Amino acid sequence: MSFIEYGDTIKDGDTAIVFLGHESMFPVKVQHGTVTQTKYGVIRHSMDLIGKKYGSKVTCSKGGWVFILHPTPELWTMNLPHRTQILYSTDISIITMMLELKPGSIVCESGTGSGSLSHALIRTVAPTGHLYTVEFHQQRAEKAREEFREHGVEHLVTVTNQDVCKNGFGVSNIADAVFLDIPSPWEAIGHAKAALKAEGGRICSFSPCIEQVQRTCLAMEEYGFTEINTLEILLRVYNVRTISLQIPDLGKAAEDNSSAGFDSSNPSNQGSPCTNLQQGAVQFKSGVPQREMVGHTGYLTFATKSLF
Amino acid sequence: PLPSAPRCHGAVRAAATRMRSRAAEGARRSASGAGSGREEEEEEEEAVMAAGHGPRICEGECAVLKRGDVFKAVAVLRRRKIIFEKQWFYLDNAIGHVYGTTFEVTSGGNLQPRREVEETTTETKEAGTDNRNIVDDGKSQKLTHDDIKALKDKGIKGQEIVQQLIKNSTTFRDKTEFAQDKYIKKKKKKYDAVITIVKPSTRILSTMYYAREPGKINHLRYDTLAQMLTLGNIRAGNKMIVMETCAGLVVGAVMERMGGYGSIIQMYPGGGPVRAATSCFGFPKHFFSNLHEFPLSKVDSLLSGMFSTEMLPSEFEDNALVEEESNGLADEKQTSVQETEEESITATAMEVNQTEEQEKMDINAEDIEFKDNKEKDNKENVREKQRKQWERRKKLIEAAALLTEKNADGLIVASKFHPTPLLLSLLEFVAPSRPFVVYCQYKEPLLECYTKLRERGGVINLKLSETWLRNYQVLPDRSHPKLTMSGGGGYLLSGITVVLDKGKSDSSNLEALKMEEPSSKRCKVQDLQC
């Protein structure tokens, strides 16, 4: 396995994802001789994991079972240990596309944070690209380096421990794209421009507050960036449920036995998805939105650096 | 596939020579004392341009014209009139320039590179405080339609026209600064427009298609496409199965994210895959050597083990086409025999009108091959046809072999067809612990798909979602979401495959129960409905 390439069987040293059911999962470092506790019992790495195919069902000691999944940046994002607030796949997706990232791209990122976006960027630029990521917090920078090593991607990424607003990304005129997720991005726009290739590139800044966005857009304009565009993207999830609605009792008309208007026993009512469960209820399938949803993560501002 | 680089290098050298001589000319001028600081800057820039950073606009390629938020993909060809945003011009002068260059259209219909002109520093502008006394009677602009036309005909630059409009507006000085700003922006957009030529990419093409021809891509909004590429873990080295009827846009996007590494098997309905949009990306030739295709009509036989290459779907088309040929099939667009195959496919892709059906596009692509063959000898014709059939059979067998390995790294579906039958069969070819993503313009078919997948088993982490996208205007003291936004961009059903427990319906039900929300939550939802 690797975060940048699929493997078929679980090996010693892999990072695997243990899936317990409905949005319940956690990462595990596969190691000979170790065990992992789950609510369904114990998983013995040597017996139950190593050599098994990814996607297999593993029965735990108490009889319950789990699935072992191959890691992907998306699964990692959902399960990584948070050192900071992270970016989720919804934002990561649009960032990747709008920055025009692909294999071979050179990307600069700051701050590294918990490495959620970093893993996704590395995946996209592999095998010939590179990620230069800057983090001003020493321990976070070190933890990120450690994780990249463990995940077998250290050759695709360089972690620098410095303040991007003061010292930039440590490279100049080589990046196809720059990403900023820092408190004062307007202070790093100049450095971002310097890191980008002479013939141009793309930039993205992520900020939770509109005031930050305003300052950043102004700075982008001052530094000659074009095509400045701010947007936000939100995910709406639907739960698929079979819903049963009762037919209200409207009493009976004097003469006839059937109720006027809506006839619940007529299957042609309401179209195909409805079936009559029992007298007095209609069933249908629905995509029900969640009670609460993420209403805001941050504003994404994109722009282009060009020669002209 | 489009012709490769050689033609371009000549153009680049020619453009570089032109630029160097222009720069030399400028240097001579400034040496004689006539030049200004700005001219020196221009020369410097031209020198940089000539130095050759960045990809250049080449003849035969697909480029995208951009004016503000409007995009249009065109084939870069000499002496070919282009119509874009009410302007007529030729692309000849653009050839050899770096992508990202901005041009203005001269009176002759030629493109001229336009350098960003510095805004004249505004002296303290006279402005009002609000609009309480401004009456909109349509009479505040003193220049008539004819006056403006006269200015344009005289060759007056757009900037100057805007200045004239401001001078001749009786209400301009009463407007607030913001209103003045807005007025100037609006006039500039109309009279001082420039065109930028940009290199195609998923970002550009998906935005363009969604704005211009959403019907061709099943109203797949660009952010939804972005989600698919990430959720599907599309990356270099994968073996992807893609089933789409989005003019080849999705295949192109997948190819871009794979960078030429790995392989793609495109499943197609009817006679052949539509790849109109794919050709717009400008991928190098080797990207296509690992792009395979396989007919949907053969999927069932492949799954049941009864697959044979006896009658290819495209052969039906061939036979039908020969008949149409003799009836004088007139193509809607140009496609004269002189034009190159690549050119007509690209042109057809880009100037297609909404009512044209996808089947017709299949036929056009095949048609062009056959128009070429018409010129040859009948005998040669038959030999050629046989050779092509043999080629196609060979490719079909290759694709079938790739599929029957049942180890694909992912599945992407984005089509006009009902997703359920597609998923249920195509998932068979995917390895366990791999992501799949299905796009549908409508939610309801995905509800059914979800249910059927639960019954089938072998999938976890099913999620039905859509993304909500909003653009913002960000200006000092004037920041707010934009006035219009997309009402919907389609829906996605995504999940991960797992090892399928065949013939154990009990356990799959158990799995289904496990995968759904705990029962207490389910009751709550129903309570809400009551």
Side-chain angles (χ1 to χ4, degrees):
Chain A
M1 87 98 214
S2 118
F3 271 74
I4 50 169
E5 199 179 9
Y6 282 117
D8 281 328
T9 48
I10 306 169
K11 293 187 176 59
D12 185 32
D14 281 2
T15 301
I17 308 289
V18 179
F19 182 88
L20 301 130
H22 193 71
E23 295 206 355
S24 172
M25 47 182 150
F26 61 89
V28 82
K29 182 99 170 124
V30 180
Q31 250 179 318
H32 264 299
T34 50
V35 297
T36 299
Q37 293 286 346
T38 76
K39 67 181 185 188
Y40 299 126
V42 167
I43 301 174
R44 297 153 299 167
H45 290 213
S46 312
M47 290 287 300
D48 302 322
L49 295 183
I50 298 177
K52 288 274 185 340
K53 226 178 164 187
Y54 274 108
S56 299
K57 189 191 279 190
V58 167
T59 310
C60 309
S61 59
K62 281 196 219 157
W65 40 260
V66 298
F67 284 104
I68 310 296
L69 301 177
H70 195 290
T72 64
E74 287 59 57
L75 286 174
W76 182 249
T77 289
M78 296 307 294
N79 295 298
L80 62 90
H82 287 212
R83 284 92 73 181
T84 60
Q85 173 60 286
I86 65 167
L87 280 183
Y88 290 91
S89 297
T90 311
D91 285 311
I92 293 174
S93 305
I94 191 98
I95 290 165
T96 308
M97 186 181 83
M98 297 294 261
L99 288 181
E100 304 189 346
L101 299 178
K102 51 189 184 256
S105 295
I106 311 288
V107 203
C108 291
E109 170 199 27
S110 187
T112 317
S114 309
S116 170
L117 176 65
S118 314
H119 277 83
L121 295 177
I122 291 168
R123 174 267 313 273
T124 301
V125 307
T128 43
H130 201 87
L131 170 66
Y132 293 94
T133 185
V134 175
E135 171 59 50
F136 66 6
H137 190 280
Q138 210 239 327
Q139 279 84 2
R140 286 204 292 264
E142 197 42 57
K143 181 79 181 143
R145 276 192 202 101
E146 192 187 301
E147 271 177 2
F148 296 140
R149 248 192 321 267
E150 255 176 48
H151 297 160
V153 297
E154 73 272 25
H155 58 292
L156 291 164
V157 56
T158 303
V159 183
T160 308
N161 178 212
Q162 67 192 29
D163 181 349
V164 70
C165 297
K166 295 204 172 67
N167 305 111
F169 291 92
V171 292
S172 50
N173 293 124
I174 61 160
D176 296 294
V178 169
F179 178 79
L180 293 168
D181 179 5
I182 56 176
S184 312
W186 56 92
E187 292 177 8
I189 299 297
H191 291 293
K193 189 174 185 190
L196 287 168
K197 286 189 170 128
E199 68 262 26
R202 294 277 291 165
I203 184 173
C204 174
S205 174
F206 175 87
S207 292
C209 303
I210 195 70
E211 296 85 357
Q212 294 170 301
V213 176
Q214 288 177 306
R215 284 198 217 178
T216 307
C217 286
L218 222 52
M220 284 179 176
E221 227 178 308
E222 280 166 20
Y223 276 95
F225 283 92
T226 55
E227 239 187 312
I228 302 170
N229 178 43
T230 303
L231 56 87
E232 68 171 333
I233 184 166
L234 295 174
L235 186 71
R236 280 180 61 76
V237 178
Y238 297 99
N239 292 319
V240 182
R241 298 280 175 266
T242 305
I243 306 294
S244 183
L245 294 184
Q246 269 193 311
I247 308 300
D249 182 5
L250 299 174
K252 282 203 159 61
E255 297 294 330
D256 53 352
N257 288 325
S258 60
S259 47
F262 189 83
D263 184 351
S264 64
S265 61
N266 184 353
S268 68
N269 271 328
Q270 294 287 300
S272 36
C274 271
T275 48
N276 203 6
L277 193 58
Q278 75 243 16
Q279 180 141 32
V282 169
Q283 246 192 2
F284 58 93
K285 273 244 182 305
S286 178
V288 179
Q290 297 175 320
R291 196 149 170 269
E292 266 192 13
M293 66 176 264
V294 172
H296 181 66
T297 52
Y299 301 101
L300 287 163
T301 304
F302 297 95
T304 305
K305 169 186 173 179
S306 63
L307 256 181
F308 313 101
Chain B
L2 296 161
S4 52
R7 242 184 283 176
C8 184
H9 289 159
V12 172
R13 264 183 275 120
T17 318
R18 279 202 303 274
M19 282 182 261
R20 259 180 257 121
S21 59
R22 247 188 272 147
E25 181 60 45
R28 265 177 262 128
R29 267 188 274 126
S30 52
S32 66
S36 67
R38 200 171 88 73
E39 273 188 29
E40 279 169 12
E41 263 182 62
E42 257 183 50
E43 286 153 29
E44 223 182 83
E45 265 195 22
E46 285 177 347
V48 176
M49 270 163 65
H53 289 284
R56 293 184 178 267
I57 302 164
C58 292
E59 189 172 0
E61 275 183 0
C62 173
V64 177
L65 307 173
K66 171 177 140 57
R67 178 172 148 173
D69 282 329
V70 182
F71 296 94
K72 181 177 181 177
V74 291
V76 179
L77 299 161
R78 291 185 192 277
R79 293 178 303 282
R80 173 71 73 88
K81 200 182 229 182
I82 305 282
I83 306 165
F84 176 58
E85 291 290 282
K86 297 195 191 130
Q87 289 185 294
W88 277 257
F89 51 89
Y90 297 95
L91 291 171
D92 300 45
N93 288 3
I95 297 175
H97 281 266
V98 170
Y99 274 108
T101 307
T102 305
F103 299 88
E104 57 185 0
V105 184
T106 63
S107 45
N110 289 309
L111 290 177
Q112 201 176 66
R114 148 98 152 230
R115 207 191 162 281
E116 271 299 307
V117 184
E118 309 234 320
E119 296 286 322
T120 45
T121 42
T122 46
E123 321 88 34
T124 41
K125 275 191 288 206
E126 191 188 350
T129 46
D130 56 43
N131 67 5
R132 70 183 78 197
N133 293 321
I134 299 181
V135 177
D136 186 11
D137 55 10
K139 296 191 194 132
S140 38
Q141 177 56 246
K142 291 306 163 202
L143 291 181
T144 64
H145 220 58
D146 293 328
D147 290 333
I148 298 171
K149 192 169 184 310
L151 287 175
K152 274 206 258 186
D153 290 339
K154 258 198 270 177
I156 304 280
K157 287 210 162 196
Q159 265 171 282
E160 187 51 40
I161 295 181
V162 176
Q163 289 303 316
Q164 286 299 317
L165 285 167
I166 295 172
K167 266 220 298 245
N168 286 282
S169 161
T170 54
T171 50
F172 186 82
R173 66 201 181 117
D174 298 325
K175 293 178 193 268
T176 63
E177 267 189 56
F178 291 166
Q180 288 177 345
D181 218 29
K182 198 168 173 179
Y183 181 88
I184 294 172
K185 274 207 184 92
K186 186 175 170 188
K187 296 305 173 193
K188 267 216 178 110
K189 193 170 172 195
K190 186 166 183 187
Y191 295 103
D192 192 25
V194 290
I195 296 171
T196 312
I197 301 188
V198 295
K199 194 168 194 309
S201 66
T202 302
R203 164 180 85 96
I204 303 244
L205 293 173
S206 61
T207 314
M208 181 189 84
Y209 263 95
Y210 188 70
R212 289 187 95 86
E213 306 200 87
K216 287 243 164 313
I217 55 169
N218 302 107
H219 295 262
L220 170 68
R221 199 174 58 208
Y222 46 95
D223 59 301
T224 312
L225 175 60
Q227 301 300 312
M228 293 170 73
L229 297 170
T230 296
L231 288 174
N233 195 18
I234 311 296
R235 63 182 173 187
N238 280 5
K239 177 177 173 181
M240 294 302 305
I241 300 177
V242 180
M243 162 53 209
E244 60 115 299
T245 57
C246 298
L249 177 66
V250 175
V251 167
V254 171
M255 285 172 76
E256 186 183 82
R257 291 280 273 264
M258 288 177 56
Y261 300 92
S263 60
I264 302 172
I265 304 140
Q266 182 182 2
M267 315 298 293
Y268 62 88
V274 178
R275 292 187 183 147
T278 322
S279 53
C280 290
F281 282 82
F283 295 128
K285 229 170 174 181
H286 76 269
F287 273 42
F288 290 88
S289 53
N290 282 319
L291 172 61
H292 308 264
E293 52 277 339
F294 192 85
L296 281 179
S297 56
K298 293 275 180 181
V299 166
D300 263 358
S301 67
L302 195 61
L303 286 173
S304 65
M306 302 292 292
F307 173 70
S308 81
T309 58
E310 274 319 309
M311 197 41 165
L312 292 180
S314 46
E315 283 166 14
F316 282 121
E317 292 286 327
D318 290 357
N319 299 334
L321 274 166
V322 174
E323 280 173 41
E324 283 185 58
E325 274 280 297
S326 47
N327 291 336
L329 172 70
D331 195 44
E332 271 181 38
K333 314 298 166 194
Q334 355 68 338
T335 55
S336 63
V337 191
Q338 283 95 342
E339 283 167 355
T340 59
E341 186 178 314
E342 302 90 82
E343 185 190 302
S344 27
I345 291 176
T346 321
T348 316
M350 297 189 274
E351 278 139 18
V352 160
N353 73 57
Q354 296 238 323
T355 55
E356 191 176 56
E357 283 174 359
Q358 294 233 341
E359 285 79 71
K360 205 140 193 220
M361 271 164 88
D362 292 334
I363 293 173
N364 285 341
E366 296 273 334
D367 191 37
I368 288 144
E369 276 185 72
F370 279 83
K371 284 227 160 100
D372 283 337
N373 290 336
K374 208 178 174 183
E375 307 258 289
K376 296 182 187 163
D377 213 15
N378 226 12
K379 232 194 195 174
E380 255 192 63
N381 199 4
V382 170
R383 258 209 300 273
E384 187 62 24
K385 262 182 79 175
Q386 281 179 340
R387 191 188 63 79
K388 286 210 163 102
Q389 273 186 18
W390 183 82
E391 270 292 323
R392 276 199 285 252
R393 275 227 172 88
K394 185 160 157 267
K395 287 208 165 128
L396 188 67
I397 295 170
E398 272 173 30
L402 287 172
L403 286 169
T404 42
E405 284 179 328
K406 298 199 177 176
N407 64 357
D409 293 319
L411 171 66
I412 301 287
V413 176
S415 77
K416 61 188 180 187
F417 297 106
H418 199 288
T420 308
L422 286 172
L423 261 235
L424 291 177
S425 47
L426 297 178
L427 274 178
E428 296 292 313
F429 300 118
V430 182
S433 191
R434 297 290 185 271
F436 61 90
V437 190
V438 189
Y439 165 82
C440 187
Q441 189 181 347
Y442 308 98
K443 203 205 292 184
E444 290 78 3
L446 292 179
L447 295 176
E448 203 217 273
C449 203
Y450 180 104
T451 310
K452 286 286 181 322
L453 282 178
R454 277 265 167 271
E455 282 170 25
R456 172 193 183 269
V459 295
I460 55 163
N461 216 28
L462 282 180
K463 186 154 88 174
L464 174 61
S465 65
E466 69 168 331
T467 41
W468 188 90
L469 181 75
R470 199 182 212 182
N471 282 287
Y472 282 76
Q473 165 184 294
V474 178
L475 291 170
D477 296 321
R478 287 161 286 171
S479 300
H480 57 73
K482 286 208 170 134
L483 198 53
T484 54
M485 67 182 267
S486 154
Y491 301 84
L492 291 179
L493 178 64
S494 61
I496 304 175
T497 56
V498 288
V499 171
L500 184 55
D501 252 338
K502 289 214 166 86
K504 285 188 181 175
S505 54
D506 282 348
S507 67
S508 70
N509 278 338
L510 255 172
E511 276 176 45
L513 284 170
K514 213 190 205 187
M515 300 314 152
E516 300 226 347
E517 282 180 21
S519 39
S520 56
K521 272 200 192 163
R522 242 183 292 153
C523 288
K524 251 197 210 152
V525 169
Q526 290 186 348
D527 288 343
L528 271 173
Q529 301 297 334
C530 294

